[in-house]
Amino acid sequence: MRVSLSPVRSLLVAALLAGPAVAGGGAGLAPPFSPDPVLAVAAGTDGQGRPVVAWIAREAGLEHLHAARLQGGGWQDLGGVLNEKARSNAAKPTVHPGPDGSVWLAWEEGSGAAHIDSYVMSNLTPGGWTAPGPYALRRNLSDAGRSRSFAAGGGDRPLVGWTDIGTLIRTYPSVVSLRIWRGAGWQVTPYVNLDPRTPAFMPSVAQAGSRVLLAYVEGATTQSDLWVRAWDGRAWHTLGDRLNVRPRTYIFLPQLRIDPAGRPVVAWLEDRQGVDTLYVSRWDGRAWRRLGGPVSAPGRLASSVSLGFDPQGRAVVAWNEGPDGARTVRAARWNDSHWSPLGGALNADPHADTDHASLAAGPLGVLVAWREFGRGHWRLQVRRLE
């Protein structure tokens, strides 16, 4: 279902924004209005750097996608329910800037909470959201097969890093490829795997100049390596060596971004003495250089990695930290030689559980969004960082 922007709802959202200043280096900012339980949260920017937050809310038994953009000091609703079909369930939204200044959303959608069979994407144009149907990738996939990522390439051309599982390809255990939108269909590249007999998963795609880069994990779950490879239009080329600190270990949630200077940067979680730990590396033109040591606190479980860049182009990461039931929201910025915490625990309630920490970072500043448990259900929260 396609809907145009709603000025009435925009006014309602803006009217709810008055709030006190928040201690710890952040500015007071109420979240977009969402009275229903929130299942997932994603933040990002449009192509002009304005923060956009998307979330999935359970409404009348259905899981609906919503989005709002911060502009003029208030949140503008971006069209009500954004699902392709209002009676289907949406999941796992992501937000992406478009090269023309617009914003893209990508998400999963299916007929039941445990049966997601479409990966769809839509671009906000002056006339409203584009219909996701032409771009939709539809498969009856298991959880393993729902390992994919999206980026808006040059000319607002969708790019998707895609995982096919062995039950579908009937040859190899799990392979990753790139899908490039060509205006009337998808071009599919050869597999990115260094060894197609070894499972690959968790792709993260980004465009750097004329090249498309793909970060991904290859290997058995607890014996994996993290690689970045570049597609030049004809073949894959490996960018440096593996990124992980310890070879052949457990790796989770790699996130590849291109900084304002055009350098690829990757954040990921890696096992460190039995604890998922956050690391970040940057490509210097010849090799991957780790930015400091572990970003997350030693011995504290990290999750929900999100990577971006502040107005000065410095890397910023946000994550959740701690055990299930007591996870805090954290953020840090790379200051040339070390990671500086941004605001300590960002939770609205420091004792509440949180997850889905996500960054909207760019030339207009840094904002973190997440969901937080309180008053019996999960609520959307945002925090603007100075």
Side-chain angles (χ1 to χ4, degrees):
M1 180 175 67
R2 299 295 88 202
V3 246
S4 59
L5 304 187
S6 167
V8 175
R9 186 175 170 96
S10 296
L11 291 173
L12 171 63
V13 171
L16 295 171
L17 290 171
V22 180
L29 181 68
F33 182 61
S34 180
D36 301 289
V38 171
L39 306 180
V41 178
T45 68
D46 66 11
Q48 300 177 49
R50 294 174 295 187
V52 175
V53 174
W55 67 95
I56 305 293
R58 181 174 286 122
E59 302 166 343
L62 293 169
E63 296 165 12
H64 285 156
L65 172 65
H66 297 272
R69 179 166 52 199
L70 184 63
Q71 54 187 68
W75 290 102
Q76 177 197 23
D77 176 76
L78 295 182
V81 176
L82 300 178
N83 297 37
E84 182 185 20
K85 298 178 180 178
R87 300 296 299 174
S88 295
N89 290 325
K92 298 183 180 178
T94 54
V95 179
H96 309 272
D100 66 352
S102 67
V103 65
W104 282 82
L105 297 181
W107 68 97
E108 297 176 351
E109 188 167 326
S111 57
H115 182 74
I116 303 293
D117 54 16
S118 296
Y119 186 64
V120 294
M121 52 221 77
S122 183
N123 181 212
L124 181 58
T125 70
W129 290 98
T130 57
Y135 309 116
L137 294 164
R138 307 191 194 277
R139 292 273 183 91
N140 184 3
L141 297 173
S142 70
D143 286 342
R146 296 207 299 270
S147 171
R148 55 242 189 166
S149 72
F150 173 92
D156 272 16
R157 175 188 61 185
L159 304 167
V160 175
W162 187 267
T163 306
D164 275 317
I165 58 176
T167 55
L168 294 174
I169 57 179
R170 302 180 186 279
T171 306
Y172 300 125
S174 174
V175 293
V176 167
S177 59
L178 173 68
R179 281 159 165 72
I180 304 170
W181 182 252
R182 293 303 189 192
W186 293 95
Q187 173 193 353
V188 182
T189 70
Y191 306 143
V192 72
N193 305 43
L194 292 167
D195 182 352
R197 297 167 298 180
T198 303
F201 44 94
M202 292 187 186
S204 181
V205 63
Q207 182 149 10
S210 61
R211 296 191 303 175
V212 179
L213 304 181
L214 193 67
Y216 73 103
V217 179
E218 184 167 339
T221 305
T222 59
Q223 300 179 32
S224 301
D225 290 311
L226 174 58
W227 301 94
V228 174
R229 306 196 75 197
W231 175 251
D232 66 5
R234 298 182 301 275
W236 289 105
H237 305 277
T238 305
L239 209 62
D241 202 350
R242 61 173 64 88
L243 281 75
N244 32 312
V245 179
R246 188 163 60 91
R248 301 189 61 78
T249 188
Y250 175 78
I251 300 163
F252 193 56
L253 291 179
Q255 191 168 107
L256 169 66
R257 298 287 184 264
I258 309 301
D259 74 9
R263 298 171 298 190
V265 182
V266 181
W268 73 96
L269 297 177
E270 181 177 331
D271 174 73
R272 183 174 186 262
Q273 299 177 346
V275 177
D276 288 2
T277 303
L278 174 58
Y279 294 94
V280 180
S281 279
R282 183 173 61 203
W283 179 250
D284 70 0
R286 293 181 296 178
W288 291 101
R289 304 296 182 189
R290 199 167 306 125
L291 301 186
V295 185
S296 51
R300 295 277 293 172
L301 184 71
S303 58
S304 299
V305 180
S306 189
L307 170 66
F309 307 97
D310 73 3
Q312 290 73 45
R314 297 171 296 189
V316 179
V317 285
W319 69 99
N320 297 99
E321 186 174 287
D324 287 356
R327 293 166 292 187
T328 58
V329 181
R330 303 279 173 172
R333 177 170 51 216
W334 178 247
N335 285 314
D336 296 326
S337 62
H338 63 281
W339 289 99
S340 297
L342 294 175
L346 304 179
N347 310 31
D349 175 354
H351 304 292
D353 191 24
T354 68
D355 65 7
H356 292 244
S358 188
L359 274 175
L364 301 182
V366 178
L367 178 143
V368 183
W370 67 94
R371 68 172 193 158
E372 185 167 321
F373 193 77
R375 301 178 186 175
H377 67 249
W378 291 94
R379 298 175 182 274
L380 178 61
Q381 297 286 352
V382 297
R383 178 87 171 266
R384 189 165 43 195
L385 303 178
E386 296 177 351

